Amino acid sequence: NAQIVSEKSITVITRGTITNQTLVCGANEQTCDRTYNDTSVDRKFYTAQSEAFTVLFDHAVTASKICSRHAPDSYACSAQASQYQGRLYSINHELCSQEHAHGNSFLHYRGKIETQQAPCYVQPNQTSQNQDFFSLEVLLMASGINLDDCNGNSTTTPCQTYRDSGATVLLNIYWTDFSPYEGMVEPYYYYKTQLITGSSFK
C-alpha cells in the first residue's frame, strides 16, 4: 500500500537557439498571418559543462494501511530518505569501475559486498543534512549513455547527439523494508534511471 508522495520533473538546458525577430502584426490589426518574422539565421549555443549540474533528491515513503496500526513516527509507517541508506543502480561498467576505486560500488542495493563490474549499486553523494545528490553525468552513465552519444532516433550524418537533441530520462525510486532470508529490516531504497529511447526535447 505504498503511495506516491509527489512527482517532479526538471529540465537541464544543454543547447539553446537564438533567433532575432521583428513584430509584423500591429496591435490594431484584426488578423495576421504571422505575429513575428525571423530576421536572422538561427544561432545555436551550448551550455558549458551541463553534465556537471547536480540533482538533489529529498523524498519519503508512506504506507497508509500500516500507519493506521502503528505510531506515526514508526519506520513501519513512513520513512524519510535522509534517515536511511540508498544507492543508484548502474548498468555502466565504467561508472561501476570508477566508483569501486573510491569504495562506492556495491553488488546489491543493500549490504557491504563491493564490485567493479556492472550492474552495480553506487553510493550517492550526500549533503550535511544527509540528502542524496548526483551529477547529471552520473545519472546518465547509470542508464548507459552520455550527452555525446548518438540519439538512437537520429538519421543525420554525422548523427545528432543527446547534447544537441535532448532526451527524456525517467528516475524511479524503489523502497523496501524486506530482505530475502532476513524478513523485515530497516527501510532502504535505490534509484534506477531509464532513458526513453528515441526521445528528444525542444
Side-chain angles (χ1 to χ4, degrees), residues 18-201:
I18 297 175
T19 303
N20 293 330
Q21 297 180 321
T22 56
L23 180 66
V24 295
C25 186
N28 297 323
E29 297 187 41
Q30 297 297 318
T31 60
C32 295
D33 293 335
R34 294 174 62 90
T35 305
Y36 294 93
N37 275 340
D38 295 343
T39 59
S40 68
V41 178
D42 291 351
R43 291 175 291 164
K44 288 183 180 181
F45 68 92
Y46 294 88
T47 305
Q49 293 186 313
S50 51
E51 53 265 76
F53 289 179
T54 56
V55 183
L56 183 144
F57 300 97
D58 185 12
H59 57 95
V61 65
T62 301
S64 59
K65 288 184 180 179
I66 297 177
C67 286
S68 66
R69 302 194 302 268
H70 293 78
D73 59 350
S74 167
Y75 81 79
C77 168
S78 63
Q80 183 74 30
S82 59
Q83 299 174 358
Y84 298 100
Q85 181 187 60
R87 291 171 181 167
L88 171 67
Y89 177 75
S90 171
I91 61 172
N92 186 292
H93 174 73
E94 181 182 358
L95 177 61
C96 294
S97 180
Q98 288 176 0
E99 294 297 328
H100 179 262
H102 303 288
N104 292 332
S105 177
F106 298 88
L107 186 61
H108 303 292
Y109 46 78
R110 180 176 178 270
K112 299 181 179 180
I113 302 175
E114 297 184 11
T115 182
Q116 58 182 351
Q117 303 294 326
C120 70
Y121 292 85
V122 175
Q123 199 79 12
N125 302 302
Q126 289 193 316
T127 68
S128 60
Q129 302 298 316
N130 296 323
Q131 294 169 314
D132 300 337
F133 68 93
F134 299 95
S135 69
L136 178 62
E137 180 179 31
V138 167
L139 292 174
L140 292 175
M141 287 180 69
S143 61
I145 65 166
N146 67 64
L147 288 178
D148 295 315
D149 286 341
C150 292
N151 187 318
N153 204 35
S154 176
T155 58
T156 60
T157 303
C159 72
Q160 189 177 33
T161 65
Y162 289 111
R163 188 184 301 276
D164 192 66
S165 69
T168 299
V169 177
L170 300 180
L171 185 135
N172 296 305
I173 306 173
Y174 299 89
W175 279 86
T176 183
D177 61 356
F178 181 83
S179 179
Y181 308 109
E182 292 183 75
M184 297 289 288
V185 295
E186 286 281 287
Y188 56 97
Y189 58 90
Y190 67 94
Y191 305 100
K192 188 174 182 180
T193 55
Q194 177 187 355
L195 171 71
I196 303 302
T197 305
S199 62
S200 61
F201 186 86

